[in-house]
């Protein structure tokens, strides 16, 4: 599948279920956002700086076939969103697994 929005589609697909499930009344992850959101920003900022520098120095780059072309500080918007969406999804999974599979904690 070749699409200039492939990276965005993957991010949206990754984010959709955890975000919707965050509002499930029995396990309301959205109540944790007060600590989750700042923690994501604290971690994302240094990595975004590093990623931006390495991209500007041409240490690595991004395939234009799979990104929208919208860039900020040498980074495609999808890459910037990656550093917020994927940590959110990871924290959601970390939060919900012990609830749904309590045997794993033993």
């Amino acid at each position: 599948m070749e699409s200039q929005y492939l990276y965005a589609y993957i991010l949206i697909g990754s984010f959709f279920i955890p975000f919707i499930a965050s509002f499930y009344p029995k396990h309301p992850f959205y109540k944790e956002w007060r600590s989750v959101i700042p923690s994501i920003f604290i971690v994302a900022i240094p990595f975004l700086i590093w990623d931006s520098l390495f991209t500007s120095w041409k240490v690595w780059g991004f395939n234009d076939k799979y990104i929208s072309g919208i860039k900020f500080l040498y980074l495609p918007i999808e890459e910037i969103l990656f550093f917020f969406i994927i940590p959110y999804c990871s924290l959601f999974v970390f939060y919900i697994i012990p609830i749904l599979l309590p045997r794993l904690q033993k």
Side-chain angles (χ1 to χ4, degrees), residues 37-94:
I37 301 302
S39 68
I40 290 172
F41 272 85
I42 289 168
V43 172
I45 298 305
F47 280 104
L48 284 167
I49 293 167
W50 171 13
D51 205 13
S52 179
L53 287 172
F54 275 50
T55 303
S56 71
W57 296 337
K58 308 237 185 285
V59 174
W60 57 62
F62 301 91
N63 190 328
D64 290 334
K65 285 196 242 178
Y66 304 110
I67 58 174
S68 66
I70 301 167
K71 293 185 180 182
F72 181 71
L73 298 174
Y74 302 99
L75 297 176
I77 190 71
E78 297 89 347
E79 179 73 355
I80 294 168
L81 292 172
F82 169 88
F83 285 103
F84 297 95
I85 290 174
I86 299 307
Y88 179 84
C89 297
S90 299
L91 288 170
F92 175 78
V93 168
F94 187 75

Side-chain angles (χ1 to χ4, degrees), residues 9-22 85 88-89:
Y9 295 152
I10 291 169
L11 287 173
I12 291 166
S14 300
F15 181 68
F16 184 72
I17 298 293
F19 181 73
I20 297 301
S22 295
I85 290 174
Y88 179 84
C89 297

